[in-house]
Amino acid sequence: MKSNLIKALFISCIFVALFSCEPEKKKRALNLPQTDLAIEPMIPMPTKVIPTNSGFALDKFTAIYTSENADGFPEVGQFLSEKIHAKTSLDIPVNTEDTPEREGVIYINQSDSLELNAPEAYQLYITKDSIILNANTSTGAFRGVQTIRQIIPEIPNDTVAPYKVWNIPTGKIIDNPVFEYRGSMLDVARHFFCVEDVKKYIDLLAYYKYNVLHLHLSDDQGWRIEIKSWPKLTEVGGSTEVGGKSGGFYTQEEYSDIVNYAAQRHMTIVPEIDMPGHTNAASVSYPFLNGNGKEVKLYTGMRVGFSTFDTRKDTTYAFIDDVVREISAISPGPYFHIGGDESHVTKKKDYVYFVEKVEKIVQKYGKRMIGWDEVTTANIDSTSISQFWSSKANADLAVEKGMKIIMSPAKKAYLDMQYDSLSKHGLHWAAYIPTDTAYKWSPETYEGVPLENILGIEAPLWSETISNIDELEYLAFPRAIGYAELSWSTPENRDWEKYKVRLAQQAPFLDRMNVKYYPSPLIDWKKSQYTYKEIKKD
Ligand code: TNX
């Protein structure tokens, strides 16, 4: 009798042991909710999404493997691992040789046979057992990694997490941007923003697949980049800002730090030195540059259009040559922006003469010139780029000259415009731009610019009315998220009603990133995407 009891006990112990040996992973996978890749909050919306309605379990057993010899791929894998850690606290190894327990692998492969063959294209195949991200270039892989980040559920820390598994819906994604230039501009001249603020903005833009940050580095109120051959530009010209507080500037080392940080996120920095107008800070530093005939002094107001360089002096061009040379040497991207807007006190013929000369200087240092749309009134090269902000006539001129155009219509794409009359920050000279107006326009057809002339879209954030990162975020978000979709997604994939549902679900990410976005009343913000409570218990 006793021995029978011992036997039974022994058998049941074995049974319990066996049962608890059932792979933990399998047990967890059984508890995954039904999922649908097609309704994930991806922004910008990918070209094609084909759901297969099952789940990949991201957990502590997952590993990332990348093509090891393809340029930049291991770094992209590392970036994904870091971002997974920030979101889930999981430590996912990259290219580890320790494999025994690994299940559910994320592969990031260099591949020449994508359905869409373009530099930033990528494909994702998500099955129950693996995620395969294929891209031709590490830039394509980086864009695909943003998609993966967006479909890992954002689970609040305080939610019960019985299995510590993040369910990723299965399916296939084929994706590629419509426009090659997808940018935002930050005006660090009217108010100065420190390196950390700029990096945070870069991080947020990169998540939405932007590839350009244009820095407006000089204006009447401030000069923000060290030029070693002309030190007073920053000593004097960098000393103040709108409102009269002390301004600031980037040393060349700090600027390079920003450039490298952006490059790691596959983004290009476009430096802008605005001239011949908007040059009061430069002229206060070196008065020989001044061409408006008046005495120059530091300016901390918000007026535009009162300053100009002296366009007929050789020394002005010697100065510009040094500035373009020094900045180009630390800007690996292909562009140099010369401003050229609102030169209201420069005589027309002087303006044209100036732009043509400066274009040659920019080209001498191996860069492609960008200028605000007024530059098209000069006789410039078809390789130069016009940034449309207000003048249809200038857009037509650019098309006539065969130039590429960056679309930044002030009425639709200016991030410094107020949302409405109650907005805490911003201006409204062009329009009020609520979150839906920012999204509901078509860059492909705006002002009749032919599609083949459009290089892309840029959303400028002028900083007369904002002086810290919280205020910057209030104006930029959520509108900048919409511009990301306008510049990446096909017109067929853009629909306000569908977009606003996905936008609402950005709240947990924005909150985790401590982004002080404007909580537009048009959006039914979802504070949490999905919680473990939705996972059925056994
Ligand atoms: C116009 S748009 C400007 C900027 C101002 C902005 C304010 C353009 C090329 N120039 O100098 O900061 O309006 O919205």
Side-chain angles (χ1 to χ4, degrees):
M1 183 64 194
K2 202 172 168 203
S3 77
N4 269 353
L5 195 73
I6 291 171
K7 223 189 211 165
L9 255 172
F10 182 71
I11 290 171
S12 56
C13 277
I14 288 187
F15 184 77
V16 167
L18 266 180
F19 183 75
S20 52
C21 278
E22 180 196 3
E24 233 190 301
K25 179 97 177 180
K26 197 170 150 210
K27 205 161 100 188
R28 280 193 305 269
L30 289 175
N31 289 285
L32 294 178
Q34 193 65 27
T35 52
D36 182 355
L37 189 60
I39 56 165
E40 282 296 305
M42 292 177 275
I43 301 180
M45 187 64 193
T47 312
K48 255 194 225 164
V49 179
I50 304 149
T52 50
N53 303 315
S54 182
F56 171 92
L58 173 73
D59 64 8
K60 65 180 179 189
F61 299 107
T62 306
I64 297 173
Y65 289 95
T66 74
S67 296
E68 288 198 60
N69 300 321
D71 208 20
F73 277 69
E75 290 81 356
V76 169
Q78 199 55 48
F79 182 90
L80 176 59
S81 172
E82 284 162 21
K83 295 303 171 191
I84 290 177
H85 181 83
K87 190 166 193 172
T88 64
S89 298
L90 292 170
D91 288 312
I92 307 294
V94 181
N95 296 333
T96 177
E97 277 166 22
D98 132 49
T99 50
E101 284 203 78
R102 299 291 157 201
E103 280 182 56
V105 174
I106 302 175
Y107 297 98
I108 305 180
N109 299 324
Q110 199 277 328
S111 157
D112 295 326
S113 54
L114 298 189
E115 281 170 52
L116 298 169
N117 187 17
E120 295 185 279
Y122 70 90
Q123 278 174 211
L124 264 175
Y125 303 92
I126 308 164
T127 65
K128 275 185 355 205
D129 308 314
S130 66
I131 295 182
I132 302 172
L133 167 58
N134 285 342
N136 200 333
T137 65
S138 57
T139 300
F142 186 82
R143 305 293 173 235
V145 156
Q146 308 317 307
T147 303
I148 297 177
R149 290 175 67 192
Q150 294 185 357
I151 59 180
I152 298 172
E154 191 80 55
I155 300 173
N157 273 347
D158 55 359
T159 318
V160 210
Y163 299 119
K164 293 267 186 215
V165 59
W166 281 256
N167 179 41
I168 300 181
T170 58
K172 180 173 173 183
I173 291 178
I174 301 170
D175 203 7
N176 182 47
V178 168
F179 292 113
E180 71 173 77
Y181 186 110
R182 304 179 305 279
S184 178
M185 185 208 80
L186 181 60
D187 173 7
V188 294
R190 270 51 175 274
H191 281 101
F192 182 65
F193 292 87
C194 67
V195 172
E196 288 315 307
D197 291 347
V198 176
K199 285 184 176 174
K200 185 175 179 195
Y201 196 42
I202 289 173
D203 272 328
L204 294 167
L205 295 175
Y207 184 74
Y208 294 106
K209 302 193 175 78
Y210 277 79
N211 62 0
V212 173
L213 177 64
H214 162 189
L215 289 175
H216 184 76
L217 291 165
S218 70
D219 213 301
D220 292 320
Q221 300 87 344
W223 184 284
R224 306 299 179 205
I225 179 152
E226 174 192 24
I227 302 295
K228 295 193 193 278
S229 50
W230 299 88
K232 283 192 197 162
L233 287 169
T234 44
E235 275 168 34
V236 178
S239 66
T240 191
E241 61 182 11
V242 167
K245 292 216 176 109
S246 66
F249 65 92
Y250 309 121
T251 62
Q252 292 201 359
E253 290 65 32
E254 287 168 331
Y255 175 81
S256 296
D257 183 27
I258 294 173
V259 166
N260 292 335
Y261 193 83
Q264 285 157 7
R265 283 145 191 80
H266 294 263
M267 286 177 65
T268 300
I269 298 294
V270 174
E272 177 187 351
I273 296 298
D274 200 351
M275 47 195 170
H278 291 276
T279 43
N280 184 73
S283 292
V284 184
S285 314
Y286 293 102
F288 76 88
L289 293 166
N290 182 33
N292 76 2
K294 297 186 185 151
E295 196 206 331
V296 277
K297 27 187 194 327
L298 287 169
Y299 181 68
T300 60
M302 284 172 43
R303 267 187 310 122
V304 296
F306 62 89
S307 57
T308 182
F309 275 161
D310 185 335
T311 60
R312 297 288 165 173
K313 261 192 203 140
D314 289 345
T315 42
T316 300
Y317 297 101
F319 165 85
I320 293 170
D321 193 289
D322 286 336
V323 169
V324 176
R325 173 176 51 76
E326 288 198 31
I327 296 177
S328 296
I330 51 175
S331 301
Y335 309 114
F336 190 102
H337 200 306
I338 69 152
D341 56 318
E342 300 172 319
S343 281
H344 301 324
V345 296
T346 319
K347 291 201 184 79
K348 181 74 208 160
K349 64 177 193 327
D350 292 345
Y351 177 84
V352 165
Y353 175 78
F354 179 88
V355 170
E356 290 167 12
K357 279 191 76 98
V358 175
E359 182 191 48
K360 296 285 169 300
I361 297 174
V362 168
Q363 290 172 346
K364 178 170 128 194
Y365 292 108
K367 301 294 177 195
R368 236 176 125 175
M369 185 182 87
I370 306 179
W372 295 105
D373 64 40
E374 293 94 320
V375 298
T376 48
T377 58
N379 182 21
I380 52 176
D381 216 83
S382 63
T383 57
S384 290
I385 297 157
S386 169
Q387 183 164 10
F388 171 82
W389 65 281
S390 81
S391 163
K392 157 110 176 100
N394 288 341
D396 292 346
L397 264 179
V399 173
E400 245 170 61
K401 291 187 158 86
M403 294 169 68
K404 292 279 188 198
I405 297 178
I406 297 166
M407 296 301 285
S408 304
K411 288 185 173 70
K412 301 285 180 190
Y414 265 29
L415 286 167
D416 69 316
M417 291 300 117
Q418 291 175 296
Y419 293 91
D420 58 33
S421 60
L422 299 174
S423 289
K424 284 192 282 177
H425 312 287
L427 305 169
H428 56 258
W429 63 264
Y432 290 113
I433 309 184
T435 308
D436 55 347
T437 306
Y439 181 86
K440 288 189 208 167
W441 62 285
S442 169
E444 287 90 348
T445 54
Y446 198 79
E447 296 287 29
V449 175
L451 192 54
E452 61 269 25
N453 290 87
I454 305 177
L455 188 64
I457 300 173
E458 188 181 287
L461 181 45
W462 302 101
S463 64
E464 286 95 331
T465 66
I466 54 172
S467 59
N468 59 49
I469 184 84
D470 290 358
E471 294 169 359
L472 180 164
E473 289 166 358
Y474 172 92
L475 284 178
F477 296 97
R479 290 180 295 195
I481 302 175
Y483 301 130
E485 183 145 304
L486 288 186
S487 50
W488 179 287
S489 306
T490 58
E492 306 80 66
N493 279 330
R494 302 193 316 247
D495 174 277
W496 166 252
E497 293 302 324
K498 291 185 184 149
Y499 167 74
K500 76 179 194 193
V501 176
R502 285 178 287 122
L503 178 58
Q505 295 172 83
Q506 305 306 305
F509 168 73
L510 296 172
D511 289 340
R512 181 164 59 81
M513 298 295 285
N514 190 26
V515 175
K516 301 286 189 303
Y517 61 95
Y518 164 66
S520 164
L522 301 172
I523 307 298
D524 179 17
W525 297 100
K526 295 278 176 263
K527 283 300 180 181
S528 132
Q529 261 181 4
Y530 157 105
T531 74
Y532 271 111
K533 290 182 188 124
E534 291 170 39
I535 300 179
K536 289 198 293 322
K537 297 261 165 61
D538 322 54

